[in-house]
Amino acid sequence: YGVVGEAGSQGAGLPEEAMTWELHGSIIGTRPENWSVKLLEALGVPTEKLTPSRYLEAYDEVMDTLHADLRPMPFAVELLERLKSLGVRMAIATSSQKAAFDKKMAFQPRLLEHMEHVVCGDDPAVKQGKPAPDIFLEAARRLGAEPGECVIFEDAPSGVKAGRAAGGFVVAIPDA
């Protein structure tokens, strides 16, 4: 979470140390309208001082300045290229809202080019966010695959739970 978590907290006027690994792990992968509430409650920030929607606005402002400098995890691009060369069909299932996802991915074309489908957290087909399995079930449906035939790479505890609930084979990749 490093720079992203710290920058998001600072952009919202929260101290750098506010975002602990434990707190980060409890909110990563969930929908923004849910994690912002949980974060502010955990930090004891009254809504009169900072509403979840205002926190998200400040967070997004900071994130917009960081997208160009973010890099994929080591060997992620090479893995995707290899999987694609083997004929593996792939999709992204992210809790991010489509607008935020598009901003991030504008700087990551080598990740996105291998994907047949993208399912975002605000997609109308996704009724419940992670840890519910909806997003992974929808990604599998769009790929024409059974969920049990899917391998899910996931960096969030809520996403691991969602992938398991969907019936997929989940590979947890810690967000460092």
Side-chain angles (χ1 to χ4, degrees), residues 1-2 19-26 175-176:
Y1 89 100
M19 181 63 81
T20 64
W21 278 106
E22 181 180 4
L23 181 55
H24 178 72
S26 73
D175 178 23

Side-chain angles (χ1 to χ4, degrees), residues 12 26 29 45 66 93-94 134:
S26 73
V45 178
L66 298 176
T94 176
D134 301 28

Side-chain angles (χ1 to χ4, degrees), residues 48-117:
E48 304 81 50
K49 181 177 179 185
L50 181 63
T51 65
S53 61
R54 179 60 197 127
Y55 174 81
L56 288 173
E57 289 172 16
Y59 178 85
D60 288 343
E61 288 171 13
V62 171
M63 290 305 300
D64 286 348
T65 69
L66 298 176
H67 294 312
D69 296 325
L70 297 177
R71 299 289 170 252
M73 290 182 170
F75 305 106
V77 172
E78 292 83 359
L79 175 62
L80 294 177
E81 289 170 348
R82 180 69 176 139
L83 291 172
K84 187 70 168 185
S85 76
L86 294 171
V88 175
R89 300 178 66 214
M90 294 177 279
I92 291 176
T94 176
S95 293
S96 296
Q97 295 181 346
K98 180 149 178 35
F101 175 80
D102 288 345
K103 287 179 187 178
K104 285 186 271 193
M105 294 310 287
F107 297 96
Q108 305 297 334
R110 290 185 63 205
L111 292 176
L112 197 55
E113 70 186 33
H114 303 291
M115 302 300 151
E116 290 183 39
H117 301 281

Side-chain angles (χ1 to χ4, degrees), residues 29-42:
T30 61
R31 289 179 165 174
E33 63 270 19
N34 296 333
W35 67 252
S36 59
V37 171
K38 186 172 183 174
L39 173 68
L40 295 175
E41 285 176 357

